[in-house]
Amino acid sequence: MRAARLKAAVAVNQELIMLYWSIGRDILTRQTAEGWGARAIDRLAADLRRDFSEMTGLSPRNLKYMRAFAEAFANEEIVQQLVAHLPWGHNVKLIEMLKDSEERLWYARQAVQHGWSRNVLVHQIEIGLHRRQGKALTNFARTLPAPQSELAQELIKDQF
């Protein structure tokens, strides 16, 4: 029963993330084509709240996050395969805290792989885990043959 409930919650989250990405992509497309600005987002938020009054998360602020989300993760395949596995709050933090797309993807992969909470994700970004990864000083290259030294270095990367 618990496993089924968890599986359903994960599926719902993935669909919600894809919906948010789709809304963000539509906002980007319209802004590019028609040049409309923040007032249009306010009107869109009001229209969406009117038409979907039972749904939360349709505020102007969240629509701006959706737009930024679609801009930050332009490739739908990456969204489906990676960031849709993270809760919305994780994705918002990735957008807010990281400007470099490769670094953003790296933290998203780590969060999915290790099951980081939002607080852990924020902490790892703040301490610069991405920059520190694999920077530990070792004597592997001097003391081990090439294939083993590279493997040992990769093992160390995974630990820190």
Side-chain angles (χ1 to χ4, degrees):
M1 189 69 95
R2 286 186 186 116
R5 288 176 67 184
L6 178 61
K7 191 174 180 179
V10 167
V12 167
N13 178 71
Q14 289 175 333
E15 287 300 317
L16 184 65
I17 298 300
M18 291 308 300
L19 173 65
Y20 284 179
W21 181 81
S22 180
I23 291 170
R25 187 188 60 203
D26 289 346
I27 292 170
L28 278 173
T29 301
R30 287 183 182 194
Q31 284 181 329
T32 302
E34 301 168 19
W36 51 275
R39 301 302 297 160
I41 288 177
D42 292 339
R43 286 192 307 276
L44 176 61
D47 292 345
L48 289 171
R49 280 196 307 258
R50 183 191 66 237
D51 294 345
F52 302 99
S53 58
E54 74 286 353
M55 189 173 173
T56 61
L58 300 175
S59 67
R61 180 178 182 200
N62 212 32
L63 289 177
K64 289 173 187 171
Y65 279 129
M66 292 176 206
R67 180 197 177 283
F69 179 63
E71 189 172 42
F73 298 104
N75 185 327
E76 184 175 6
E77 194 173 302
I78 289 174
V79 176
Q80 289 175 334
Q81 293 177 1
L82 179 60
V83 295
H85 296 275
L86 293 171
W88 180 240
H90 283 59
N91 285 305
V92 169
K93 288 299 178 187
L94 290 169
I95 294 164
E96 286 179 335
M97 298 181 76
L98 300 165
K99 301 306 173 207
D100 180 73
S101 61
E102 290 302 317
E103 193 173 353
R104 196 180 304 117
L105 286 173
W106 186 89
Y107 280 105
R109 281 188 196 96
Q110 296 302 309
V112 169
Q113 181 180 356
H114 299 292
W116 290 345
S117 69
R118 188 179 333 160
N119 288 338
V120 170
L121 172 64
V122 168
H123 175 72
Q124 300 295 16
I125 293 170
E126 288 175 346
I127 66 168
L129 181 63
H130 179 260
R131 290 185 305 277
R132 292 184 14 228
Q133 195 76 358
K135 301 289 188 197
L137 296 176
T138 67
N139 64 352
F140 297 148
R142 279 195 330 264
T143 59
L144 295 172
Q148 286 83 12
S149 70
E150 291 171 16
L151 178 61
Q153 191 64 36
E154 288 299 315
L155 288 170
I156 294 295
K157 277 185 179 181
D158 289 344
Q159 299 300 316
F160 299 98

